[in-house]
Each structure stands twice: as C-alpha cells, then as structure tokens.
C-alpha cells in the first residue's frame, strides 16, 4: 500500500470515509452517532472514551493531575490499546477495560482537565487516525472535524439548548455540571470545542433521534458519502 506521503494526502485525511460528529456534552451526539453508524453499517467510535479510560487509570493511581511531569510520566508508561470489535471501539489501559467506571464521578470530575493537555492530544492524534486506516467509521468527540480529521468532507456539529442538555444528563443518572464542562471544553487552548466552518449544524433540542439521523443521511448523500443502497432510518 502507498504511504500517505506517496499519495500526497493532506494531514488528517482519512484513508476511508469518516463521518465526524462534534458537539458539547449531552447534545445527543453519542446517540445519533451510534444510530448513524448502525444505519451505514460501519464502526462507531467514541473518542471521549479514550480520554475517560486514561483519566480512569490516572485516578486509580491517585495521581495529582496538576503535577505535569508526573502526569506525563504516568501517561508515557501506560499501555493504551484501542481496537474495534463488532463495529465498536474498545479501549484497554494496561490490559484492563474500565467498563462502567469510565463514567464514575471521579472520572467525570477530572476528565476535562486531562483532555485539556495539548501534549496528550498530540499523542492521541495518530491513535485516532489509525482507526480509519482499515475501515470507514463514525467518530464523535469535540475536535474530530477540526483537528483529528479536518480533511473529511463529512462533518456535523450537534448542539441542543443547555437546559435540555442538563435534563438529558440527569436522565442518564449523571450529576456533573454541563455549564462547567462546556466552559472547560470551549475555553481550553488545545483543540477547543468549536464548530468546523464546513460542519453542518444540527440543533437536536426539538428533534427526535430518527429525525437527526435522517437529516445526516440526506446531507451525507449530498456530499458524496458512499451510503449503502436502501439505507434508511426506521
Ligand atoms: O464525550 P465525553 O463526555 O465522554 O468526553 C469526555 C471528556 O473528554 C470531555 O471533557 C471532553 C473530552 N473530549 C475531548 O476533549 N475531545 C474529544 N475528541 C472527545 C472528548
């Protein structure tokens, strides 16, 4: 196979078609990203899971996140493995999958700080990009359309009214503050949450999951994504 430089592909140009879905917490992007991947019959990757798994490991070790050199040493020593199995991303740190613990209050409280590290984000770029080397996928996060796969033509930014997002978060049984998380994700220096200029903005406040996915399918067809024949939303 030709290397990227041989093909002169721009940085962040995936080898297979990638749908990038970004947006703030509880905007509904995970639900629609999963549903869209299923309709398209391709893999679904939640990039936040990688930040959460790393945070989970650091929290278990009792590491003080403000100590930069200890943070870097701990991350350097971690064995972070990402694999796609049955069209879904699985993350192991040092041979262990954190499971439900990635959503624990301790991880919720620390993950934005971990994700704010430009050093860590730089290290994770090739990890995320590698996932698209063998297959097409839907990847959701905060910077997928702006930093991870800026060259993909298939980008969405899913948002919703903050009050509705707060309600959705509570319905998920989580107690972290949307406002605080938004501020941290938007104001950080490294790859802050923002809509890519060429991303389609979808406000899911008053839309059902099916409506959002239908809009996405229409847009993907228009932009030339290889949507399988007969793909439709029930
Ligand atoms: O989507 P989530 O709530 O599981 O993400 C967890 C944290 O990771 C959140 O603070 C945002 C951050 N994140 C990020 O900075 N970049 C991504 N691509 C995905 C998540």
């Amino acid at each position: 196979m030709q290397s990227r430089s041989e093909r002169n592909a721009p940085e962040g140009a995936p080898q297979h078609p990638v749908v990038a879905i970004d947006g703030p917490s509880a905007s509904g992007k995970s639900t629609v990203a999963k549903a869209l991947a299923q309709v398209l019959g391709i893999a679904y990757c939640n990039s936040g899971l990688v930040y959460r798994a790393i945070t989970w490991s650091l929290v278990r070790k009792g590491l003080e996140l403000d100590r930069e050199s200890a943070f870097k040493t701990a991350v350097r020593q971690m064995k972070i493995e990402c694999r796609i199995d049955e069209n879904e991303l699985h993350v192991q740190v040092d041979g262990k999958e954190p499971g439900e613990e990635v959503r624990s209050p301790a991880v919720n409280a620390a993950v934005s700080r971990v994700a704010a590290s430009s050093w860590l984000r730089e290290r994770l770029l090739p990890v995320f990009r590698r996932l698209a080397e063998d297959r097409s996928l839907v990847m959701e996060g905060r910077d997928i359309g702006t930093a991870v796969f800026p060259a993909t033509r298939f980008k969405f930014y899913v948002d919703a009214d903050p009050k509705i997002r707060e309600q959705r978060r509570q319905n998920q049984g989580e107690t972290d503050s949307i406002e605080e998380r938004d501020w941290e994700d938007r104001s950080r220096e490294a790859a802050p949450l923002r809509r890519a200029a060429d991303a389609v903005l979808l406000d899911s406040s008053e839309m059902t999951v099916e409506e959002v996915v239908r809009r996405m399918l229409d847009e993907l067809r228009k932009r030339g994504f290889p949507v399988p024949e007969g793909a439709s939303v029930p």
Side-chain angles (χ1 to χ4, degrees):
M1 197 201 276
Q2 281 182 313
S3 71
R4 187 178 296 285
S5 57
E6 283 166 324
R7 288 182 291 117
N8 283 329
E11 205 187 357
Q15 264 126 323
H16 292 267
V18 165
V19 181
I21 302 184
D22 292 304
S25 296
S27 56
K29 65 183 184 310
S30 299
T31 311
V32 295
K34 248 184 245 177
L36 179 69
Q38 200 164 13
V39 169
L40 295 173
I42 61 178
Y44 159 68
C45 293
N46 175 357
S47 61
L49 186 59
V50 180
Y51 292 98
R52 286 179 177 273
I54 292 169
T55 307
W56 165 79
S57 171
L58 295 170
V59 165
R60 263 161 57 105
K61 290 180 183 133
L63 199 103
E64 283 176 43
L65 298 174
D66 299 332
R67 291 182 49 223
E68 198 183 332
S69 66
F71 166 77
K72 287 184 178 173
T73 305
V75 172
R76 272 199 201 98
Q77 287 170 351
M78 263 179 213
K79 190 171 172 218
I80 303 162
E81 289 168 287
C82 294
R83 88 192 138 80
I84 292 178
D85 194 18
E86 300 199 345
N87 272 348
E88 192 142 347
L89 175 67
H90 294 262
V91 186
Q92 287 196 341
V93 179
D94 297 328
K96 288 197 192 79
E97 214 166 307
E100 283 308 303
E101 284 177 39
V102 287
R103 308 218 155 261
S104 70
V107 171
N108 279 344
V111 67
S112 285
R113 257 187 303 155
V114 171
S117 161
S118 53
W119 174 83
L120 175 63
R121 302 191 77 88
E122 199 63 35
R123 287 176 82 91
L124 290 180
L125 275 183
V127 174
F128 291 133
R129 288 178 181 161
R130 218 172 289 134
L131 292 169
E133 277 179 6
D134 318 318
R135 64 183 73 70
S136 201
L137 44 88
V138 174
M139 188 176 283
E140 62 139 313
R142 303 295 190 285
D143 63 339
I144 310 306
T146 53
V148 180
F149 293 115
T152 184
R153 279 177 295 138
F154 314 114
K155 296 180 190 176
F156 297 94
Y157 187 91
V158 181
D159 209 343
D161 183 274
K163 283 203 186 75
I164 291 178
R165 294 196 287 118
E166 196 84 58
Q167 189 59 55
R168 286 179 183 163
R169 200 63 164 184
Q170 280 171 21
N171 295 347
Q172 289 164 355
E174 303 213 24
T175 52
D176 57 336
S177 152
I178 290 287
E179 218 179 318
E180 218 169 287
R181 175 73 53 103
D182 280 0
W183 188 83
E184 283 177 303
D185 292 343
R186 288 195 168 113
S187 63
R188 68 177 180 224
E189 260 174 53
L193 169 65
R194 62 179 176 82
R195 177 165 86 88
D198 54 344
V200 177
L201 171 66
L202 292 171
D203 186 326
S204 76
S205 306
E206 306 291 334
M207 288 171 89
T208 64
V209 174
E210 290 76 15
E211 283 168 340
V212 178
V213 176
R214 251 180 239 128
R215 278 285 314 278
M216 287 177 158
L217 275 183
D218 288 348
E219 195 59 40
L220 288 175
R221 285 193 181 99
K222 270 192 234 156
R223 292 189 179 200
F225 188 93
V227 175
E229 198 132 327
S232 68
V233 185

